[in-house]
Amino acid sequence: MVKKIKKYSQGEPLAPWREKIHEVIFEADTPYGRLFDALLIAAITLSVIAVMLDSVESVKAQYGGILDVLEWGFTLLFLVEYILRLISVRKPLMYATSFLGVVDLISILPSFIGLIYAGAETLLVIRVLRVLRVFRVFKLAEYLGEADYLMRALRSSRRKISVFLYTVFIFVVVFGSIMYLVEGEENGFTSIPKAVYWAIITLTTVGYGDIVPQTHIGQMIASTVMIMGYAIIAVPTGIYSTELAKVYKQSVTNHACLSCGEDGHDQDANFCKYCGEQL
Amino acid sequence: MVKKIKKYSQGEPLAPWREKIHEVIFEADTPYGRLFDALLIAAITLSVIAVMLDSVESVKAQYGGILDVLEWGFTLLFLVEYILRLISVRKPLMYATSFLGVVDLISILPSFIGLIYAGAETLLVIRVLRVLRVFRVFKLAEYLGEADYLMRALRSSRRKISVFLYTVFIFVVVFGSIMYLVEGEENGFTSIPKAVYWAIITLTTVGYGDIVPQTHIGQMIASTVMIMGYAIIAVPTGIYSTELAKVYKQSVTNHACLSCGEDGHDQDANFCKYCGEQL
Amino acid sequence: MVKKIKKYSQGEPLAPWREKIHEVIFEADTPYGRLFDALLIAAITLSVIAVMLDSVESVKAQYGGILDVLEWGFTLLFLVEYILRLISVRKPLMYATSFLGVVDLISILPSFIGLIYAGAETLLVIRVLRVLRVFRVFKLAEYLGEADYLMRALRSSRRKISVFLYTVFIFVVVFGSIMYLVEGEENGFTSIPKAVYWAIITLTTVGYGDIVPQTHIGQMIASTVMIMGYAIIAVPTGIYSTELAKVYKQSVTNHACLSCGEDGHDQDANFCKYCGEQL
Amino acid sequence: MVKKIKKYSQGEPLAPWREKIHEVIFEADTPYGRLFDALLIAAITLSVIAVMLDSVESVKAQYGGILDVLEWGFTLLFLVEYILRLISVRKPLMYATSFLGVVDLISILPSFIGLIYAGAETLLVIRVLRVLRVFRVFKLAEYLGEADYLMRALRSSRRKISVFLYTVFIFVVVFGSIMYLVEGEENGFTSIPKAVYWAIITLTTVGYGDIVPQTHIGQMIASTVMIMGYAIIAVPTGIYSTELAKVYKQSVTNHACLSCGEDGHDQDANFCKYCGEQL
């Protein structure tokens, strides 16, 4: 289940000290590796909270200085980490261009860009993107299997979900357009895209209430959309439940008994439950 | 699994060139057929977006000319396509009166009607209806099986969903009426249909907030409706999940009996459950 | 599966003409019985719509006369039906005091009470209660099995749902009270019951928006409640799905093979799928 | 299935009268024990309702005296109960420091604190916390198994739910930040935390409507968040359904191996999957 990521460890061996750094930084099955990951996730979370607070005016006014210091601290920390990552992998370019590698770089840049460029808000948001690094938590052994499990079910239900989303798309366009005709501009349905936006708000049961039907016919159509939205939520849920059950069943039936050939053994089974032979 | 639609290809053969057109336009299992379908869906999507933008006043003011040209372009494209469809099928009338045939025609008409009739908004909405043509995407091999799968589960859960909807209907009428009595006109519950509309908004957890209970008793009843709505969403979801699992189980086992021809046997079946012959 | 309701047909036989009336009115497995039920449900639906429209002031002003005539028509129709029901059952008192018997009586009374008493709104709502008669639709053969199926799963998940509702109850009381303390009266959380009402609106994802947190801490707590509400909807859904699957599995395994003793045969199986014997 | 809680009954026996009190107060499998629990839950519920009403100003003004008397009555009742609990357990300290023990104490204190300290609102909320005592209802035999069943599924889906919540967390932070950039302060997205709050409201389909996007791009992003929120509700539901089904399957087969004592064998198992002995 838990597949160790070996991407960067094939071919000729790294120097022992680089091997050691690699083990601590990239892997999560040694005590130091686990500790490093735990600390890293704490640092990421704290730095994201700091960035978010930095965008609150009253907080910035009072604690702006502390937040700046913190931000530079985290930036340097992530910079050191990024350099260590580059050093300890066999193919630095491959790492640097991978999704998480780019995210790692993006976590560092804004502070330096901020020295020469003054788009404060944009830089804030780019700094927040380091939250994506939290995905590294799924590298931890106890989450790796679970995340993989959920992803496999998601992948195998991809097309069914697409069919569902196409249908929802057609649905909201048709009902939105009809409401545009029925309610008209005077009731807030100023254009078809706006009316489609209303249909999405209603079908997904979000219901902001910023645009609501005023006419009797409009309210009847809205009722239909609501009840359909309430009922068809069953479709993605049903799809995903079924796929998860399938993936689970497959993981159960990976190993057949060598003696009687029956499968369906649990993952923790040592002996065949049908004939008693060792698995 | 993937059943090829053969509706229009039975009986005496078409002329080879009509056969060729038919293959490209109506089927999706040749490279040209697939390409045609992909381009068609792109054209439909673009034309729907153009229509939707046409309804936004600021956009229309600035780009009205371009949108008109685009609309005439798409209309001519769909006109050519419609004529080719009529030519290449054996029974043009049958195609023209089918659901997708009517939708195809509706995609073309509004531009021409617009020349002699000035109901701009109505025509806009009719033009949007061409979004229904996107359903053709489900003809593509990779979606056909999935859509069929979802539809079969929907069809076999039809009656259970009806029972659920009847119950919801009774529920919203009863609770809406009680709220009409409890809250009264001064709190926005001006009539029973309005109060039923509120009950639908609340039960489906949409919650616009345009009509909300003001009295203590009204808020208690509303709380009950909310919690019931939150809990009974489990019913359609449970129904659909169960049906999907059933359909999946059947699809796994589509070996037909050699003796009576019936299929739908379970995976572990040794004998036909209808005629008793060995499988 | 489809159990015929025999409650009123045990013991000494009724006179043939009463037997005939009973068959048409109470049962749904003869052509006349089915026709009667279909007409009755149409009449109920129409009369409920008439009552609902009667509560809309503008409609009442214009069509009040027609609605009065309709109401008296439906009242007389239901009166005749009620008398026929009383005549054709063996134990009239038992019918009259049953749930549907009381609903049948309530469908008739308001019009007569309206002659001597003038509580128009209350009478309207009582008249609407005849919508409960629509439950008779579940007596129709095609729904009887399905409704029974859904009810059995509901009944066997009764206690789990209770545990869930107890937990939700404790949850909304605790979080509501905390919000009462945090937000206070100036932000609309005027009392603990009001704050609990807010917690129910938020947890069930209804989200009217009539009471919303204004403080930072309040919004953080609200976020927690929302995410919990979003996640724990999984609980009733999971419970009901599992129970439905169980009930389905039981209905599949009702009959074991007399020859090999295996069960798990489908409902439509004529032969054992394991040994080929006739079931 | 129903495991009797034996925590306090090991070691040397209690005096018979303490044993008797213990049986009535702590256990639910004797008639008196059941009666005591039923009365206790009624008392808790009534006292919580009394506290909640006490926070409603109009009620307090009119019935404040009665509510004070009731509160003292319940306080004394719970005090007596608390002393009896302390007397009848073998390890009073262990009970007093357990979760429910602390809740029991908290149910009594506020009334006494109220004599010397005047933080009315805080005390009210602390008094409401006695609602947590309702969890004792799950000690009743008919709920014990069910609650245990739901908890086991929750526990075994703990990590999958965590993966889901991490993903939701990253999701709302990223989309919230983007909306902060797109909509800006003038449209109510005054800071990143506020924008994340909006993303949570939208993703969970609560939809208060207190902060809504005003720009076209903002509404398009909001539509995406809504549809994702509508679709990914399938994930926790699917997880929990699958786990419940697993737990159910295991609970069906709780025969332990006679050789190694392990249980959790499937229904169709002939041999212990851990040690290979015949079951």
Side-chain angles (χ1 to χ4, degrees):
Chain A
M1 195 71 131
V2 179
K3 291 169 222 144
K4 211 168 132 188
I5 296 163
K6 291 258 183 195
K7 253 198 294 209
Y8 304 116
S9 53
Q10 289 153 344
E12 39 158 351
L14 290 167
W17 64 274
R18 285 172 64 196
E19 189 70 61
K20 186 74 199 159
I21 294 172
H22 185 274
E23 199 178 291
V24 170
I25 295 187
F26 279 98
E27 306 198 8
D29 40 14
T30 59
Y32 285 114
R34 289 185 58 83
L35 182 68
F36 177 84
D37 281 335
L39 289 176
L40 182 61
I41 283 154
I44 295 166
T45 308
L46 285 175
S47 78
V48 169
I49 291 170
V51 175
M52 285 170 65
L53 289 176
D54 203 24
S55 77
V56 182
E57 242 160 81
S58 60
V59 174
K60 195 183 168 72
Q62 208 173 344
Y63 305 103
I66 301 172
L67 289 173
D68 278 0
V69 171
L70 272 177
E71 180 57 26
W72 276 108
F74 285 122
T75 299
L76 294 180
L77 189 73
F78 294 151
L79 180 61
V80 171
E81 184 213 340
Y82 187 68
I83 292 167
L84 287 178
R85 283 185 190 271
L86 281 177
I87 289 173
S88 68
V89 294
R90 188 164 289 107
K91 297 173 175 174
L93 199 73
M94 196 169 146
Y95 158 70
T97 56
S98 70
F99 174 70
L100 282 177
V102 171
V103 171
D104 288 350
L105 185 61
I106 285 176
S107 304
I108 309 163
L109 289 184
S111 296
F112 296 102
I113 297 173
L115 295 177
I116 51 168
Y117 167 79
E121 279 184 12
T122 314
L123 286 178
L124 259 183
V125 171
I126 292 173
R127 271 154 64 191
V128 156
L129 288 183
R130 67 174 61 140
V131 76
L132 290 167
R133 302 190 72 201
V134 177
F135 275 126
R136 285 197 189 277
V137 84
F138 298 155
K139 212 182 65 188
L140 293 177
E142 62 259 49
Y143 293 111
L144 192 55
E146 310 290 357
D148 178 62
Y149 185 83
L150 297 176
M151 280 310 296
R152 267 196 302 171
L154 219 54
R155 227 173 294 127
S156 76
S157 59
R158 202 181 51 239
R159 275 183 197 147
K160 283 188 207 71
I161 298 284
S162 298
V163 167
F164 173 72
L165 289 178
Y166 271 113
T167 311
V168 165
F169 171 69
I170 295 173
F171 191 91
V172 293
V173 170
V174 168
F175 273 79
S177 304
I178 293 172
M179 284 300 272
Y180 168 69
L181 204 65
V182 167
E183 290 282 324
E185 292 187 30
E186 64 277 18
N187 293 331
F189 295 76
T190 49
S191 67
I192 293 181
K194 194 97 174 190
V196 171
Y197 174 63
W198 166 85
I200 293 172
I201 289 174
T202 303
L203 187 80
T204 57
T205 77
V206 169
Y208 281 147
D210 52 347
I211 316 167
V212 290
Q214 304 293 336
T215 65
H216 289 304
I217 304 170
Q219 292 178 347
M220 280 176 66
I221 297 170
S223 300
T224 311
V225 175
M226 285 176 216
I227 287 174
M228 289 195 70
Y230 185 64
I232 65 175
I233 185 86
V235 175
T237 307
I239 293 170
Y240 196 66
S241 298
T242 315
E243 293 300 330
L244 262 186
K246 267 193 254 178
V247 169
Y248 167 67
K249 215 187 145 195
Q250 280 163 11
S251 78
V252 165
T253 54
N254 271 345
H255 47 298
C257 174
L258 293 173
S259 170
C260 71
E262 293 288 336
D263 56 13
H265 302 294
D266 294 339
Q267 276 186 282
D268 57 351
N270 303 322
F271 293 89
C272 173
K273 65 181 178 178
Y274 298 110
C275 71
E277 276 301 307
Q278 193 147 8
L279 289 171
Chain B
M1 194 76 122
V2 179
K3 288 168 222 146
K4 209 167 134 189
I5 295 163
K6 291 259 183 195
K7 251 197 294 206
Y8 304 116
S9 53
Q10 289 152 345
E12 38 159 352
L14 289 166
W17 65 274
R18 284 171 64 195
E19 189 72 59
K20 186 74 201 159
I21 295 172
H22 184 273
E23 201 178 291
V24 170
I25 295 187
F26 279 97
E27 306 199 8
D29 41 15
T30 61
Y32 286 115
R34 288 186 59 83
L35 182 68
F36 178 85
D37 281 335
L39 289 176
L40 182 62
I41 282 155
I44 295 166
T45 309
L46 285 175
S47 78
V48 169
I49 290 170
V51 175
M52 283 169 65
L53 289 176
D54 204 23
S55 77
V56 183
E57 242 161 80
S58 62
V59 175
K60 193 182 169 74
Q62 209 172 344
Y63 304 104
I66 301 171
L67 288 174
D68 278 359
V69 171
L70 271 177
E71 180 57 25
W72 275 106
F74 285 122
T75 300
L76 294 179
L77 190 73
F78 294 151
L79 180 61
V80 171
E81 184 214 341
Y82 186 67
I83 292 168
L84 287 178
R85 281 184 191 272
L86 281 178
I87 289 173
S88 68
V89 294
R90 188 164 290 107
K91 296 173 176 173
L93 199 73
M94 197 170 145
Y95 158 70
T97 55
S98 70
F99 174 70
L100 283 177
V102 171
V103 170
D104 288 350
L105 185 61
I106 285 177
S107 305
I108 310 163
L109 289 184
S111 296
F112 296 101
I113 296 173
L115 295 176
I116 51 166
Y117 168 80
E121 279 183 14
T122 314
L123 287 178
L124 260 182
V125 171
I126 293 173
R127 272 154 63 191
V128 157
L129 289 183
R130 66 174 63 139
V131 76
L132 290 167
R133 300 190 72 203
V134 177
F135 276 127
R136 286 197 189 278
V137 85
F138 297 155
K139 211 183 64 189
L140 294 177
E142 63 260 49
Y143 294 110
L144 192 55
E146 310 290 358
D148 178 63
Y149 184 83
L150 297 175
M151 281 308 298
R152 268 196 301 171
L154 219 54
R155 226 172 297 126
S156 77
S157 58
R158 202 182 50 239
R159 276 182 197 148
K160 284 189 205 70
I161 298 283
S162 298
V163 167
F164 173 72
L165 289 177
Y166 271 113
T167 310
V168 164
F169 171 70
I170 294 173
F171 192 89
V172 293
V173 170
V174 168
F175 274 79
S177 303
I178 293 171
M179 283 300 272
Y180 168 70
L181 203 65
V182 167
E183 290 282 325
E185 292 186 29
E186 64 278 17
N187 293 331
F189 294 76
T190 49
S191 67
I192 294 181
K194 194 95 171 193
V196 171
Y197 173 63
W198 166 85
I200 293 171
I201 289 174
T202 303
L203 187 79
T204 57
T205 77
V206 168
Y208 282 145
D210 53 346
I211 316 168
V212 290
Q214 304 293 337
T215 64
H216 290 304
I217 303 170
Q219 292 178 348
M220 280 177 67
I221 297 171
S223 299
T224 311
V225 175
M226 286 175 215
I227 287 174
M228 289 197 70
Y230 186 65
I232 65 175
I233 185 85
V235 175
T237 306
I239 293 171
Y240 196 66
S241 298
T242 315
E243 293 299 328
L244 263 186
K246 267 193 254 179
V247 169
Y248 167 68
K249 212 187 146 199
Q250 283 163 10
S251 78
V252 164
T253 57
N254 48 9
H255 50 287
C257 173
L258 293 173
S259 170
C260 71
E262 293 288 337
D263 56 12
H265 302 295
D266 293 340
Q267 272 184 288
D268 58 350
N270 303 322
F271 293 89
C272 173
K273 65 183 179 178
Y274 298 111
C275 72
E277 275 303 306
Q278 193 148 8
L279 289 170
Chain C
M1 196 72 131
V2 179
K3 290 169 224 147
K4 212 168 131 190
I5 297 163
K6 290 259 182 194
K7 252 196 293 206
Y8 305 117
S9 53
Q10 290 154 342
E12 37 156 354
L14 289 167
W17 64 274
R18 284 172 64 194
E19 188 72 60
K20 186 74 201 159
I21 295 173
H22 184 273
E23 200 178 291
V24 170
I25 295 188
F26 279 97
E27 306 197 10
D29 41 13
T30 60
Y32 285 115
R34 288 185 59 84
L35 183 68
F36 177 84
D37 281 335
L39 289 176
L40 182 61
I41 283 154
I44 295 166
T45 308
L46 285 175
S47 78
V48 169
I49 291 171
V51 174
M52 284 169 67
L53 289 176
D54 203 25
S55 77
V56 183
E57 242 161 78
S58 61
V59 174
K60 194 183 169 74
Q62 209 173 344
Y63 303 104
I66 300 172
L67 288 173
D68 279 0
V69 171
L70 272 177
E71 180 57 26
W72 275 106
F74 285 122
T75 299
L76 293 180
L77 191 73
F78 294 152
L79 179 61
V80 170
E81 184 214 341
Y82 186 68
I83 293 168
L84 287 178
R85 282 185 191 270
L86 281 177
I87 289 173
S88 68
V89 294
R90 188 164 288 109
K91 296 174 178 173
L93 199 73
M94 197 171 146
Y95 157 71
T97 55
S98 69
F99 174 69
L100 283 177
V102 171
V103 170
D104 288 350
L105 184 61
I106 284 175
S107 304
I108 309 163
L109 289 184
S111 297
F112 295 101
I113 297 173
L115 294 176
I116 51 166
Y117 167 80
E121 278 183 14
T122 313
L123 287 178
L124 260 182
V125 171
I126 294 174
R127 271 153 63 190
V128 157
L129 289 183
R130 66 173 64 140
V131 76
L132 291 167
R133 301 190 72 202
V134 177
F135 276 127
R136 286 197 187 278
V137 85
F138 298 156
K139 211 182 64 189
L140 293 177
E142 63 259 49
Y143 293 110
L144 191 55
E146 310 289 358
D148 178 62
Y149 184 82
L150 297 176
M151 280 309 297
R152 266 196 301 171
L154 218 55
R155 227 172 295 128
S156 76
S157 58
R158 202 181 50 238
R159 275 183 197 148
K160 285 189 204 70
I161 298 283
S162 298
V163 167
F164 172 72
L165 289 178
Y166 270 113
T167 311
V168 164
F169 171 70
I170 294 173
F171 191 90
V172 293
V173 169
V174 169
F175 272 79
S177 303
I178 294 172
M179 283 299 272
Y180 168 70
L181 203 64
V182 167
E183 290 282 324
E185 292 187 29
E186 64 278 17
N187 293 330
F189 294 76
T190 48
S191 66
I192 295 181
K194 195 96 172 190
V196 170
Y197 174 63
W198 167 86
I200 293 171
I201 289 174
T202 302
L203 186 81
T204 58
T205 79
V206 168
Y208 281 145
D210 52 347
I211 316 169
V212 290
Q214 304 293 339
T215 65
H216 289 304
I217 303 170
Q219 291 178 348
M220 281 177 65
I221 297 170
S223 299
T224 312
V225 175
M226 285 177 216
I227 287 174
M228 289 197 70
Y230 186 64
I232 63 174
I233 185 85
V235 175
T237 307
I239 292 170
Y240 196 66
S241 297
T242 315
E243 294 298 329
L244 262 187
K246 266 193 254 179
V247 169
Y248 168 68
K249 216 187 145 198
Q250 281 163 9
S251 78
V252 165
T253 54
N254 271 343
H255 47 298
C257 174
L258 293 173
S259 171
C260 70
E262 294 287 337
D263 55 14
H265 304 294
D266 293 340
Q267 277 185 283
D268 58 350
N270 303 320
F271 292 89
C272 174
K273 64 182 180 177
Y274 298 110
C275 71
E277 276 302 306
Q278 194 149 6
L279 289 170
Chain D
M1 194 74 126
V2 179
K3 291 170 219 145
K4 212 169 134 189
I5 297 163
K6 290 259 182 194
K7 251 197 294 207
Y8 304 116
S9 54
Q10 290 154 343
E12 41 159 347
L14 288 168
W17 63 275
R18 284 172 64 196
E19 189 72 60
K20 187 72 200 162
I21 295 173
H22 184 273
E23 199 178 292
V24 170
I25 294 188
F26 279 97
E27 306 199 8
D29 41 13
T30 60
Y32 285 115
R34 289 185 60 82
L35 183 67
F36 178 84
D37 281 335
L39 289 176
L40 181 61
I41 283 155
I44 296 165
T45 308
L46 285 175
S47 77
V48 169
I49 291 171
V51 175
M52 284 170 66
L53 289 176
D54 203 25
S55 77
V56 183
E57 242 161 80
S58 61
V59 173
K60 195 183 168 75
Q62 210 173 344
Y63 305 104
I66 301 172
L67 288 174
D68 279 359
V69 170
L70 272 176
E71 180 57 26
W72 276 107
F74 285 122
T75 300
L76 293 180
L77 190 73
F78 293 152
L79 179 62
V80 170
E81 184 214 339
Y82 187 67
I83 292 168
L84 287 178
R85 282 186 190 271
L86 281 178
I87 288 172
S88 68
V89 295
R90 188 164 290 107
K91 297 174 176 175
L93 199 73
M94 195 169 148
Y95 157 71
T97 56
S98 70
F99 174 68
L100 283 177
V102 171
V103 170
D104 288 349
L105 185 61
I106 284 176
S107 304
I108 309 163
L109 289 184
S111 296
F112 295 102
I113 297 174
L115 295 177
I116 51 166
Y117 166 80
E121 279 183 13
T122 314
L123 287 178
L124 260 183
V125 171
I126 293 173
R127 271 154 62 189
V128 156
L129 289 183
R130 67 174 64 140
V131 76
L132 291 167
R133 301 191 71 203
V134 177
F135 276 126
R136 287 198 187 277
V137 84
F138 298 156
K139 211 183 64 188
L140 294 177
E142 61 260 50
Y143 292 111
L144 191 56
E146 310 290 356
D148 178 63
Y149 185 82
L150 297 176
M151 280 309 298
R152 268 196 301 171
L154 219 55
R155 226 173 296 127
S156 76
S157 59
R158 201 182 50 239
R159 275 182 196 149
K160 285 191 204 70
I161 297 283
S162 298
V163 167
F164 173 72
L165 289 178
Y166 270 113
T167 311
V168 164
F169 171 69
I170 294 173
F171 191 91
V172 293
V173 170
V174 169
F175 273 79
S177 304
I178 293 172
M179 284 299 273
Y180 167 70
L181 204 64
V182 167
E183 289 283 324
E185 292 187 30
E186 64 277 18
N187 293 330
F189 294 76
T190 47
S191 67
I192 294 181
K194 194 94 172 191
V196 171
Y197 174 63
W198 167 86
I200 293 171
I201 289 174
T202 303
L203 187 81
T204 57
T205 78
V206 169
Y208 281 146
D210 52 347
I211 315 168
V212 290
Q214 304 293 337
T215 66
H216 289 305
I217 303 170
Q219 291 178 348
M220 281 177 65
I221 297 171
S223 299
T224 311
V225 176
M226 285 177 217
I227 287 174
M228 289 195 70
Y230 187 63
I232 65 175
I233 184 86
V235 175
T237 306
I239 292 171
Y240 196 66
S241 297
T242 315
E243 293 300 329
L244 262 187
K246 266 193 253 179
V247 169
Y248 167 68
K249 211 186 145 201
Q250 284 163 9
S251 78
V252 165
T253 57
N254 48 9
H255 48 287
C257 173
L258 293 173
S259 171
C260 70
E262 294 289 335
D263 55 13
H265 303 294
D266 294 339
Q267 272 184 288
D268 57 350
N270 303 320
F271 293 89
C272 174
K273 63 181 180 179
Y274 297 110
C275 72
E277 275 303 306
Q278 192 148 5
L279 290 169

